Amino acid sequence: MSDHAMLEVRDLYKYFPIRQSMLDILLRRPANNVKAVDGVSFDLERGEVLAIVGESGCGKTTIARTLIGLEEQTDGEILFHDELVGAHERRARAGLVPLEAGTVGSSEQKVFPRMSMKRLRQQAQMIFQDPYESLNPRATILEIVAEPLVVHGLARGRDERLERVKTALEEAGLRPAEDYFLRYPHELSGGQRQRVVIASAMVLQPELLIADEPVSMLDVSIRAEILNLLRDLRQRRGVSIVFITHDLSTVAYFADRIAVMYLGRMVETGPAREVLANPQHPYTKALISVIPVPNPRLRRERVILQGETPNPIDLPSGCRFHPRCPVAVEACKVTDPANVLVGENHHAACLLLNVAASPNIASGEAAST
Ligand code: SF4
């Protein structure tokens, strides 16, 4: 972890317990969990953009919701400016940590002060995927963007409130802002609605934006405008962004670092250019191979992964990617790969990257030992 990190996530776990039927309870069948996030650590510095990439169901949205306090972590620590976020510590003190308590994650002994949820919401804001769902259809744009200021008591009087709403709308590209004050969300296009969502997030002048697939519901023609807007906000305001997406082609545009997720784990992390130009994990290579290349003469060999993503309730043994991995060897069925350093600030979790240390892994002999 960096000494200067604004946000630190350490061994984050989020399991969703599966409700048991009466028959399961009577037969004393063990309770199961959906292991949505299964031991994730990362940090984020001020003004940095981290893209978390992966297929649907890999746990990236659960991380976003946990960071903002919409979900309670099962275990692990989230530190925002060295203050604890989330309810885990309270649950632990009350003896309420669910699941296999003591078997997941690790808790450091150092005691950090706790950040209140209200202060977290001032400093970290979320942009949801669907601008149609995230705006109140009965409120005007003025009321929507002013609401966070009212809730947090951050504007002294009507004039200051109006001025801050105007600034936020104009920074989000809705100019002149007064033309939008009395309009309703249904009167705006999809791109304009997403700009309103961004304005209502930025009106509190947060330090962190968590953008969960912010362009996936928009027309292709508008996506670049919204990505440009986020990039401008980052440059002008120094806001840090956690950018959640399934589309690696968009992250190339403005992310500083990439974290690739598969079934609740980060399997490759590193500087964006380095990961895109020199991917090390077979899953990252497959994702990059299907990004369209605008030049027809530059053809890439596509890697099409076979089979479905395994059930997160019953994860495969060994490397959880092995049932779909095109280069798996026998050892992959039994050994869970650790993250190894493969370049400057570039890590990946694959047994084949340890091959120099254990040459019998690549030959497939490890499984028989
Ligand atoms: Fe593929 Fe094995 Fe590497 Fe996992 S450890 S990514 S299964 S080669």
Side-chain angles (χ1 to χ4, degrees):
M1 296 283 176
S2 159
D3 290 342
H4 312 292
M6 182 186 79
L7 176 74
E8 291 178 48
V9 176
R10 301 173 178 175
D11 289 322
L12 184 69
Y13 289 77
K14 177 60 191 174
Y15 289 2
F16 293 97
I18 309 266
R19 190 185 289 263
Q20 285 190 295
S21 67
M22 191 56 79
L23 187 62
D24 292 333
I25 294 169
L26 288 174
L27 294 177
R28 299 190 177 187
R29 289 183 180 139
N32 279 322
N33 302 295
V34 174
K35 294 166 180 157
V37 179
D38 200 24
V40 162
S41 300
F42 64 92
D43 57 12
L44 185 71
E45 293 183 20
R46 187 163 174 78
E48 189 181 27
V49 178
L50 171 71
I52 302 181
V53 186
E55 295 168 301
S56 298
C58 69
K60 55 194 190 305
T61 293
T62 305
I63 289 182
R65 293 176 61 82
T66 310
L67 290 180
I68 202 83
L70 295 175
E71 301 283 357
E72 288 179 16
Q73 67 263 47
T74 304
D75 203 352
E77 288 173 339
I78 302 169
L79 289 160
F80 194 76
H81 286 307
D82 281 345
E83 290 185 55
L84 277 170
V85 170
H88 171 68
E89 193 187 71
R90 190 176 69 235
R91 290 165 63 95
R93 270 200 240 109
L96 293 177
V97 178
L99 318 174
E100 307 95 356
T103 65
V104 292
S106 65
S107 208
E108 297 204 355
Q109 295 306 309
K110 188 173 172 188
V111 176
F112 294 95
R114 170 160 298 283
M115 178 178 276
S116 73
M117 198 51 80
K118 187 171 180 184
R119 213 155 64 76
L120 172 68
R121 292 276 159 77
Q122 278 177 30
Q123 299 196 5
Q125 284 285 309
M126 187 143 173
I127 298 168
F128 291 96
Q129 180 176 11
D130 187 351
Y132 302 87
E133 292 283 325
S134 50
L135 296 176
N136 178 354
R138 294 194 190 87
T140 63
I141 303 306
L142 175 60
E143 289 166 337
I144 289 170
V145 180
E147 189 182 358
L149 295 172
V150 175
V151 168
H152 291 277
L154 286 179
R156 288 185 300 267
R158 185 173 174 277
D159 288 349
E160 185 180 338
R161 198 158 58 234
L162 273 181
E163 196 52 41
R164 288 184 67 165
V165 171
K166 180 170 179 266
T167 304
L169 285 171
E170 295 196 338
E171 279 194 343
L174 295 171
R175 299 188 194 91
E178 290 84 349
D179 287 1
Y180 295 88
F181 277 0
L182 300 180
R183 291 164 79 176
Y184 288 86
H186 73 267
E187 297 176 71
L188 305 182
S189 67
Q192 287 172 329
R193 286 184 221 199
Q194 196 60 300
R195 287 177 189 275
V196 172
V197 173
I198 292 170
S200 60
M202 290 304 296
V203 77
L204 293 178
Q205 300 182 343
E207 292 183 54
L208 171 64
L209 279 183
I210 299 167
D212 184 10
E213 304 264 16
V215 296
S216 62
M217 301 279 287
L218 302 177
D219 291 342
V220 175
S221 56
I222 303 166
R223 289 181 187 178
E225 289 179 21
I226 298 296
L227 290 173
N228 273 334
L229 170 59
L230 290 173
R231 195 174 61 172
D232 288 351
L233 287 174
R234 174 258 186 105
Q235 280 167 355
R236 262 187 284 131
R237 292 288 192 90
V239 66
S240 308
I241 302 177
V242 175
F243 185 78
I244 311 276
T245 182
H246 65 276
D247 181 4
L248 258 174
S249 60
T250 56
V251 308
Y253 193 62
F254 79 132
D256 299 305
R257 275 191 300 140
I258 293 178
V260 180
M261 282 197 74
Y262 186 77
L263 272 181
R265 290 253 181 96
M266 287 182 171
V267 295
E268 184 158 1
T269 56
R273 286 181 185 207
E274 165 71 10
V275 171
L276 291 169
N278 187 24
Q280 295 293 312
H281 194 280
Y283 179 59
T284 315
K285 289 180 185 176
L287 291 182
I288 291 175
S289 77
V290 294
I291 297 175
V293 184
N295 184 345
R297 290 188 198 145
L298 289 178
R299 289 232 173 122
R300 257 199 290 245
E301 191 186 337
R302 289 177 155 229
V303 181
I304 307 297
L305 296 175
Q306 303 299 318
E308 297 293 320
T309 310
N311 185 347
I313 300 170
D314 185 19
L315 293 169
S317 61
C319 173
R320 56 190 66 190
F321 185 53
H322 86 254
R324 303 174 74 198
C325 180
V327 292
V329 294
E330 279 300 299
C332 304
K333 294 180 184 168
V334 290
T335 307
D336 194 3
N339 257 315
V340 293
L341 189 67
V342 292
E344 199 178 341
N345 294 323
H346 185 180
H347 294 80
C350 171
L351 291 182
L352 298 188
L353 299 171
N354 281 330
V355 79
S358 307
N360 56 353
I361 287 176
S363 67
E365 291 167 20
S368 59
T369 57

